Amino acid sequence: MPPHVTAATGLDALIHAVEAFTSKNANSLSDVLARQAMKLIYGHIRKAFANGEDPAARAQMLEGSLLAGMAFANAGVNGRACVCLPDRRRISHSPRCRQQHHAAPVMEFNMLGTLRSSLR
């Protein structure tokens, strides 16, 4: 996989995990999944980017991405995905990662509503 695709998909998965962890609807299951996803992705994205042929780094990124998706689904997160939809329709050739600038306001909204996630 080309390094730019590794970076784009890895950051997308990492942001899913962060969003799940900071969601107003976060729960004990989504928290465990999100924490492990963040740990795996953060710990292996540089290796996977530098050497796309490293099977161990790829496996850890794959598991982190899976866990991020599970956390995302269990935390009732969809704000950023909804906000990005119009952009993705208009800029269909752009990697989804480029739309992540919408994530910060959604996460800020969630964190302002509850400090529970940020204090764990």
Side-chain angles (χ1 to χ4, degrees):
M1 183 180 304
H4 73 280
V5 176
T6 297
T9 57
L11 290 176
D12 190 48
L14 182 61
I15 288 172
H16 278 124
V18 171
E19 284 182 288
F21 190 72
T22 60
S23 173
K24 288 183 178 183
N25 299 318
N27 55 65
S28 58
L29 175 61
S30 65
D31 286 349
V32 169
L33 295 168
R35 282 182 181 166
Q36 184 63 15
M38 289 185 281
K39 180 180 174 183
L40 289 170
I41 295 166
Y42 181 79
H44 295 90
I45 193 168
R46 288 178 185 90
K47 277 186 180 181
F49 179 84
N51 180 6
E53 301 300 318
D54 182 340
R58 288 270 173 223
Q60 296 300 302
M61 289 293 292
L62 177 62
E63 183 179 342
S65 179
L66 171 67
L67 295 175
M70 292 170 66
F72 191 85
N74 281 284
V77 179
N78 61 13
R80 182 198 42 83
C82 292
V83 170
C84 290
L85 188 58
D87 284 346
R88 280 189 266 149
R89 286 185 182 150
R90 189 178 62 228
I91 311 172
S92 60
H93 64 278
S94 175
R96 186 162 185 237
C97 176
R98 293 184 189 164
Q99 309 305 324
Q100 299 300 354
H101 65 275
H102 293 295
V106 173
M107 289 186 290
E108 181 180 15
F109 173 80
N110 283 334
M111 288 181 77
L112 291 175
T114 178
L115 292 177
R116 182 182 66 81
S117 293
S118 61
L119 296 177
R120 281 180 261 159

